[in-house]
Amino acid sequence: MVLQIQNSTYEAKTQEIAKQVLAATQENRSFLAALRDQMRWDDKLLDWAMSNPGLRVQLFRFIDTLPALHSKSEIASHLQEYLGDESVELPAALKGMLNFANPDSMPGQVAATTVGTAVETLAHKYISGENIKQVIKTVERLRKEKMAFTIDLLGEAVITETEAQSYLERYLELMQQLVEASQRWTKIPAIDEAEGENIPKVQVSVKLTAFYSQFDPLDAQGSEERVSDRIRILLRRAKELGAAVHFDMEQYAYKDITFNILKKLLLEEEFRQRTDIGMTIQAYLRDSEQDARDIIAWLKQRGYPLTVRLVKGAYWDQETIKATQKHWQQPVYNDKAATDANFETITQILLENHEYVYSAIGSHNVRSQSRAIAIAETLQVPRRRFEMQVLYGMGDKIAKALVDKGYRVRVYCPYGELLPGMAYLIRRLLENTANSSFLRQNLENRPVEELLAPPIPASPSLAGGTEGGFFGVADTDYAEEEKRKVSQQAFQNVRQQLGKTYLPLINGEYVNTTTFVDSLNPSNFSQVVGKIGLLSVEQAEAAMKFAKAAFPAWKKTPVKQRADILRKAGELMEERRAELSAWIVLEVGKPVKEADAEVSEAIDFCLYYADEMERLDKGVIYDVSGENNRYIYQPKGIAVVISPWNFPLAIACGMTVAALVSGNCTLLKPAETSSVITAKFTEILIEAGIPKGVFQYVPGKGSQVGAYLVNHPDTHVIAFTGSQEVGCRIYAEAAILKPGQKHMKKVIAEMGGKNAIIVDESADLDQAVVGVVQSAFGYSGQKCSACSRVIVLEPIYDAFIERLVEATKSLNIGETELPSTQVGPVIDANSRDRILEYIQKGKEEAKVALELPAPSQGYFIGPVIFSEVPANGIIAQQEIFGPVLAVIRVKDFAEALEVANGTNYALTGGLYSRTPSHIQQAQADFEVGNLYINRNITGAIVARQPFGGFKLSGVGSKAGGPDYLLQFLEPKTVTENIQRQGFAPIEGAE
């Protein structure tokens, strides 16, 4: 009851204050309206974006591209490509301006100048300066208006250790210069003091993740150590100078680790008594109220207050999309009202605890700010303990109205070069032009009652998913501490099982063998992961006989029953996810996150192929009057699956369960170096209820057992993933009709690639460098889809190479069990020696841009980057299957495509570009099975990016796609004449 009275007191006061503030912000409105027709181009662009969603999307995409465009004709042609799109309705003035025939023409140059200047003017509205001198001028103007400031450094994403170090140095320099300038400033009591206490005149805002280029919640400890070292330097220097430091909050994945690092650091003796430091809470996050309560409890324990800046949050689209793609719960509220309501709740929590926390309320919503003031006044919160904050160029009128009412207002001022600041600018523009934006609604003269009404959230939805279609399983979110603990525990469990013996499974029984082989941990080859019993040819023949005997019953088993076995196997894999990941990490040297994603892929194959077989089982009906026509599918017979070591669980599982669910009896012969994982997969299939003889696990020598099964007259289908050499041999052998063979064998072969990524001059280099590094050096380049060639256009070649080398240098190389590792070992000694030979050849035909050292206790090779590689050179043509990257220089986009298509392979390819015509041309002419645009080229997801190539990259349909199961089935047409004595049932006739 007390709370209700309290709330209604707050509400009445909120309305009263809000009306006063709103009235102050709305003066001169009619005068502005009269000026609307004489508006500048930058205002016109914003105005048009608000009224036309199609134009808004294309305009913002164009603005995003602008930093990469270096001439007026490039700007003019991109303007035409983006805004000339059919989806865009253009205002007459813009249409007229874009109506030029040639980007180099005078009208083209005029259009480029007009729009380029307008965007620059827009950027100046939201960015407080391009250099420290301009920033000092801006903050001096703000101080004249009785406003405090905090400065944030804009710039490229931090993707290299050089950039992380430079980020720290730039902040040290910024603080130094601001403090020097501040010595000339006269004291302004409204912002420089409160309750007799001085408030630092200089404040900077920093992003934690920018202090370490490999910042990753999975490697919580390593990230904390690296980041904390740099933060201590910053905080010590800030203290010497008398400047305040505020920590911004970024993406949700970094939230918990950011709070943990700061809480730990700020309890250290050296920093515990500091009160000139702040952290940030984002109200659009569903768990932010709990975070606020936790921080207050921690501050009580600390005994000295800190500032908490409360904001709504700036990454809503990004967070929503990521959760949807990953099938994770949405971390953000789905509607604006829920965020606003949460913002008010947290405001109240912070202000009611003003003896422990200084509140900084960041919003451009008059209601949100007025609510804070109403609570602060009711509780008589001392002035030192709360302030209002706005973004530079956003809430100018609100800020002025609040200053006039006697409140301390701080303006968040980003500074940096305008063009790299475009990402920031677009976030601000999105915010300003969104339908739900308070600033926009205020501009549109919405009724005061509507603008100031208490926010009422819609009913909550937590789902993160895709509309309709197949819904895959979620990867582990290692940002959650609990999940990291489960992973560590799984490694301990698996370590206790190392060195066991795994035998072949024949007709439901494990059988003894005379030959054994050790499977070693490639990160540490003195460690035996398991001993594998290798099958003899005689045992392989026995397995074949059992498969043949089991086939008739399996063929007749209802599809639903077969599909349910797959679903059960998927369920068991999900239960054992952490353990299976640990086996993959230890047996084939794959980093933890990638191993986890592989388990997801294996589960997805089970679930997707189960669904697909049920779809195909319905057949197709082609009836006509008097005649029934059925198109149905039946299994082929016996399938031999030969799986690779590089995706030891996912590919082995995908090929096997596809064959099984289609009704074929299946023999799985895995690569020798990854036979422990396939033995674990075998255990799962047995537990899931696969009948004896239907599935058999037949590890053996490829040259003996593999060849015997391929050539066997009872083999109907061979599903193979591996090298081109072996794939072509299987294809040739399978084509030969053997004595007693009554069918042609079907071969499905995936045989690798020489995959290229093209980077054109309009590419976002932050994105391109990160994508190329991940695609080339993820799992040490040992993926069929890995990038081994980058084809870069001349204008950006040198800049690209420089950042690529620095980003690669910043990677951590080591044992893959360590959470900090991004580059692990290669699979075995043969592989290592072969790759080293290729590196030697590369040195003869190109320049070494980077060769990183590597640990010696495993099969390690440090990443190698070659520059100035000839397009027809050995290292640009042959598949190396290791961490070796060839960077090729080309004149223009036509040559880039020609070079990309100039190998025998056609598996994956990538393009980083913001030029619509290049994207369109690549879609049509880039010869690959999987083309990825503006993202990395590895990590295909079942039913989202069905995977497979053509040319010498393989034969057969794409794995994880709608045609894949057809390869394991024989189609059959059944026609029945249903007329008897001239009589037939006719539908609709009585």
Side-chain angles (χ1 to χ4, degrees):
M1 192 64 203
V2 175
L3 189 67
Q4 272 180 330
I5 296 166
Q6 181 89 311
N7 261 334
S8 61
T9 314
Y10 288 160
E11 187 54 39
K13 200 156 191 169
T14 300
Q15 292 293 334
E16 180 195 333
I17 295 167
K19 281 171 186 160
Q20 293 167 11
V21 175
L22 201 56
T25 67
Q26 288 184 334
E27 284 164 18
N28 306 333
R29 180 58 60 82
S30 54
F31 174 64
L32 269 178
L35 281 179
R36 187 57 52 101
D37 297 334
Q38 300 153 32
M39 255 189 334
R40 297 186 324 217
W41 267 94
D42 53 309
D43 288 324
K44 280 184 182 166
L45 287 177
L46 267 190
D47 215 40
W48 290 330
M50 285 196 212
S51 55
N52 180 334
L55 173 60
R56 180 175 180 243
V57 169
Q58 291 299 91
L59 180 64
F60 289 177
R61 283 184 172 166
F62 167 75
I63 291 174
D64 173 54
T65 312
L66 206 53
L69 308 178
H70 298 296
S71 71
K72 285 188 179 166
S73 45
E74 279 181 47
I75 294 175
S77 68
H78 281 78
L79 254 179
Q80 261 186 342
E81 285 195 35
Y82 277 104
L83 303 186
D85 193 88
E86 286 158 18
S87 66
V88 181
E89 270 181 69
L90 287 182
L94 206 48
K95 200 178 240 166
M97 194 177 74
L98 292 180
N99 194 13
F100 50 84
N102 178 343
D104 294 320
S105 66
M106 194 56 175
Q109 303 286 300
V110 170
T113 307
T114 309
V115 176
T117 310
V119 172
E120 211 161 291
T121 311
L122 264 179
H124 274 297
K125 278 187 175 175
Y126 303 109
I127 295 173
S128 65
E130 293 191 66
N131 52 46
I132 294 183
K133 216 164 141 185
Q134 288 178 8
V135 171
I136 291 173
K137 224 170 163 172
T138 300
V139 301
E140 287 174 348
R141 177 171 56 75
L142 289 172
R143 286 180 59 82
K144 280 198 183 104
E145 295 168 17
K146 295 190 188 157
M147 293 183 199
F149 65 84
T150 184
I151 306 284
D152 162 51
L153 193 54
L154 292 175
E156 296 161 320
V158 170
I159 56 179
T160 74
E161 276 308 274
T162 321
E163 287 162 359
Q165 184 57 34
S166 154
Y167 183 80
L168 171 63
E169 285 161 10
R170 285 167 69 196
Y171 263 108
L172 297 175
E173 168 73 3
L174 172 66
M175 289 193 303
Q176 171 90 31
Q177 297 218 20
L178 283 169
V179 168
E180 278 172 18
S182 75
Q183 283 153 10
R184 304 190 299 270
W185 301 340
T186 48
K187 191 172 201 175
I188 300 167
I191 53 175
D192 294 335
E193 64 174 21
E195 283 86 45
E197 188 187 328
N198 283 335
I199 299 170
K201 288 178 184 170
V202 171
Q203 188 190 99
V204 294
S205 286
V206 299
K207 292 178 174 50
L208 204 72
T209 59
F211 289 105
Y212 178 40
S213 63
Q214 309 304 311
F215 193 93
D216 182 358
L218 173 63
D219 179 27
Q221 196 186 337
S223 298
E224 181 187 321
E225 284 165 12
R226 301 294 290 271
V227 164
S228 299
D229 287 346
R230 287 183 171 139
I231 292 175
R232 287 187 190 98
I233 295 169
L234 182 80
L235 292 180
R236 283 172 195 141
R237 185 66 183 135
K239 187 178 187 185
E240 288 165 16
L241 292 167
V245 175
H246 196 98
F247 291 94
D248 281 329
M249 190 52 80
E250 303 167 83
Q251 286 83 352
Y252 182 67
Y254 304 135
K255 173 179 71 75
D256 289 349
I257 179 177
T258 297
F259 282 144
N260 290 344
I261 290 172
L262 291 175
K263 284 176 178 175
K264 211 160 152 187
L265 191 83
L266 296 175
L267 281 181
E268 288 175 11
E269 208 42 56
E270 181 181 358
F271 305 112
R272 185 169 187 154
Q273 295 181 20
R274 295 276 289 271
T275 57
D276 55 353
I277 297 170
M279 47 180 86
T280 306
I281 289 178
Q282 298 160 313
Y284 68 0
L285 295 178
R286 294 168 189 267
D287 47 13
S288 53
E289 181 186 335
Q290 190 53 51
D291 288 334
R293 294 185 188 281
D294 292 346
I295 286 171
I296 287 164
W298 170 79
L299 282 169
K300 286 177 182 175
Q301 173 208 338
R302 182 177 186 260
Y304 297 90
L306 290 171
T307 300
V308 168
R309 174 192 294 150
L310 178 63
V311 297
K312 298 209 171 149
Y315 303 93
W316 189 87
D317 299 64
Q318 206 179 335
E319 298 291 8
T320 309
I321 289 166
K322 183 178 179 179
T324 304
Q325 289 187 349
K326 293 271 192 188
H327 306 307
W328 290 343
Q329 281 198 341
Q330 287 288 358
V332 291
Y333 287 110
N334 294 60
D335 72 313
K336 181 80 167 60
T339 296
D340 288 345
N342 191 43
F343 189 91
E344 293 189 8
T345 304
I346 298 173
T347 298
Q348 189 168 331
I349 294 169
L350 294 174
L351 289 168
E352 285 173 352
N353 286 280
H354 59 81
E355 63 267 48
Y356 310 108
V357 64
Y358 299 158
S359 303
I361 308 299
S363 173
H364 309 116
N365 181 322
V366 170
R367 179 184 163 89
S368 301
Q369 291 284 25
S370 303
R371 180 78 175 183
I373 294 170
I375 298 169
E377 287 187 354
T378 306
L379 300 175
Q380 296 180 337
V381 176
R383 272 190 54 243
R384 170 70 185 97
R385 293 180 174 262
F386 100 107
E387 69 183 30
M388 324 310 283
Q389 295 197 352
V390 294
L391 290 172
Y392 182 77
M394 291 277 280
D396 303 2
K397 289 182 177 170
I398 295 174
K400 188 175 177 338
L402 294 171
V403 168
D404 291 346
K405 286 182 73 66
Y407 295 103
R408 184 168 71 252
V409 173
R410 188 176 301 279
V411 181
Y412 184 95
C413 301
Y415 105 91
E417 289 173 43
L418 292 188
L419 293 177
M422 281 303 160
Y424 174 83
L425 172 63
I426 286 170
R427 284 208 299 276
R428 297 293 74 85
L429 293 178
L430 281 169
E431 215 169 302
N432 261 343
T433 56
N435 288 326
S436 56
S437 148
F438 183 90
L439 291 173
R440 174 170 177 173
Q441 291 174 355
N442 192 12
L443 266 178
E444 291 169 348
N445 278 334
R446 298 274 179 95
V448 172
E449 296 67 37
E450 188 187 325
L451 283 173
L452 302 181
I456 298 164
S459 56
S461 149
L462 274 177
T466 40
E467 316 293 295
F470 174 73
F471 196 81
V473 295
D475 293 345
T476 301
D477 181 0
Y478 290 108
E480 294 176 29
E481 194 175 357
E482 201 39 55
K483 302 275 172 70
R484 299 198 292 270
K485 284 182 182 159
V486 169
S487 170
Q488 286 157 7
Q489 186 55 52
F491 274 106
Q492 286 177 6
N493 298 347
V494 165
R495 283 199 170 286
Q496 286 161 4
Q497 301 171 52
L498 294 182
K500 286 187 175 175
T501 299
Y502 298 90
L503 295 171
L505 181 82
I506 307 283
N507 200 31
E509 306 290 332
Y510 286 111
V511 297
N512 257 315
T513 59
T514 51
T515 316
F516 291 86
V517 65
D518 287 347
S519 178
L520 306 178
N521 176 354
S523 288
N524 176 3
F525 40 64
S526 61
Q527 191 175 74
V528 177
V529 177
K531 291 183 181 307
I532 312 298
L534 297 182
L535 211 66
S536 66
V537 168
E538 292 72 32
Q539 287 171 311
E541 176 56 40
M544 223 21 164
K545 287 196 168 79
F546 287 124
K548 204 171 172 181
F551 178 62
W554 184 239
K555 178 183 177 179
K556 289 192 169 67
T557 302
V559 163
K560 171 85 172 77
Q561 211 173 311
R562 301 199 301 243
D564 283 345
I565 292 174
L566 265 62
R567 292 189 180 107
K568 179 65 182 168
E571 205 178 289
L572 292 168
M573 282 192 247
E574 187 60 77
E575 282 169 22
R576 295 173 201 173
R577 173 186 282 276
E579 185 193 328
L580 289 168
S581 295
W583 282 112
I584 294 170
V585 170
L586 295 173
E587 191 178 24
V588 299
K590 188 172 279 197
V592 176
K593 261 190 205 165
E594 297 189 57
D596 176 74
E598 180 173 342
V599 178
S600 294
E601 188 180 0
I603 299 168
D604 282 350
F605 277 134
C606 290
L607 305 180
Y608 178 67
Y609 291 149
D611 289 357
E612 279 295 288
M613 193 57 226
E614 287 179 346
R615 172 180 71 82
L616 292 172
D617 189 43
K618 294 178 182 133
V620 186
I621 295 170
Y622 294 119
D623 291 354
V624 292
S625 291
E627 186 175 272
N628 284 353
N629 291 292
R630 298 284 183 276
Y631 186 79
I632 55 174
Y633 296 99
Q634 56 188 36
K636 283 178 177 284
I638 294 171
V640 171
V641 171
I642 301 173
S643 66
W645 52 261
N646 65 334
F647 282 86
L649 179 64
I651 295 181
C653 171
M655 297 193 294
T656 301
V657 299
L660 289 170
V661 80
S662 316
N664 302 286
C665 288
T666 306
L667 291 85
L668 168 60
K669 194 215 86 63
E672 285 166 49
T673 41
S674 61
S675 298
V676 172
I677 293 154
T678 35
K680 295 287 161 195
F681 170 60
T682 298
E683 290 167 12
I684 284 169
L685 281 181
I686 294 170
E687 201 175 321
I690 202 78
K692 286 199 315 192
V694 169
F695 166 77
Q696 297 176 92
Y697 167 60
V698 292
K701 283 248 173 273
S703 53
Q704 294 161 15
V705 168
Y708 181 77
L709 294 173
V710 163
N711 284 291
H712 201 286
D714 289 329
T715 297
H716 290 77
V717 185
I718 300 148
F720 165 81
T721 299
S723 70
Q724 184 194 313
E725 182 196 353
V726 176
C728 290
R729 190 161 68 237
I730 288 172
Y731 200 72
E733 287 173 359
I736 301 165
L737 204 61
K738 298 292 183 305
Q741 186 180 321
K742 301 186 179 126
H743 55 269
M744 296 305 289
K745 291 175 185 171
K746 174 82 178 175
V747 176
I748 306 157
E750 201 268 90
M751 307 185 291
K754 189 69 189 167
N755 311 307
I757 292 177
I758 296 174
V759 182
D760 80 4
E761 64 272 63
S762 70
D764 176 335
L765 283 196
D766 285 350
Q767 214 184 28
V769 169
V770 171
V772 167
V773 168
Q774 282 174 352
S775 305
F777 303 121
Y779 193 34
S780 305
Q782 300 175 110
K783 298 178 186 177
C784 332
S785 55
C787 166
S788 56
R789 299 181 295 153
V790 197
I791 300 162
V792 186
L793 270 67
E794 195 142 30
I796 53 157
Y797 187 88
D798 296 333
F800 176 80
I801 282 263
E802 191 184 330
R803 288 197 80 198
L804 177 72
V805 164
E806 285 302 327
T808 307
K809 267 188 199 168
S810 307
L811 296 172
N812 298 317
I813 304 168
E815 293 186 38
T816 44
E817 188 185 342
L818 302 172
S820 57
T821 296
Q822 287 121 343
V823 180
V826 297
I827 188 68
D828 59 16
N830 288 345
S831 196
R832 180 194 57 198
D833 298 345
R834 188 178 44 76
I835 295 165
L836 289 173
E837 278 172 33
Y838 272 113
I839 291 170
Q840 215 31 60
K841 285 175 188 159
K843 287 175 177 173
E844 290 159 22
E845 59 184 16
K847 282 188 191 166
V848 177
L850 177 70
E851 184 171 15
L852 284 180
S856 55
Q857 82 282 12
Y859 303 116
F860 288 96
I861 293 182
V864 178
I865 298 172
F866 287 105
S867 65
E868 308 301 349
V869 177
N872 58 357
I874 291 172
I875 57 167
Q877 288 291 321
Q878 294 181 17
E879 186 176 40
I880 299 171
F881 228 61
V884 180
L885 182 62
V887 190
I888 301 166
R889 185 194 293 262
V890 290
K891 296 190 306 294
D892 53 29
F893 193 66
E895 189 189 347
L897 272 177
E898 193 184 321
V899 170
N901 293 337
T903 72
N904 296 337
Y905 296 97
L907 187 52
T908 63
L911 167 64
Y912 281 93
S913 170
R914 290 179 287 191
T915 303
S917 56
H918 286 179
I919 291 172
Q920 223 172 341
Q921 200 182 339
Q923 287 172 354
D925 300 337
F926 202 150
E927 293 173 0
V928 289
N930 286 56
L931 174 62
Y932 297 93
I933 297 162
N934 292 325
R935 55 150 284 178
N936 61 325
I937 64 169
T938 59
I941 291 173
V942 172
R944 200 184 288 177
Q945 294 112 5
F947 186 78
F950 52 100
K951 284 166 66 173
L952 286 182
S953 282
V955 55
S957 258
K958 288 173 167 293
D963 314 321
Y964 191 71
L965 292 187
L966 298 177
Q967 305 170 113
F968 297 88
L969 295 162
E970 295 290 4
K972 183 174 182 179
T973 302
V974 178
T975 298
E976 182 188 358
N977 170 15
I978 53 171
Q979 290 186 79
R980 297 285 170 91
Q981 311 300 334
F983 154 77
I986 296 173
E987 238 178 275
E990 284 303 316

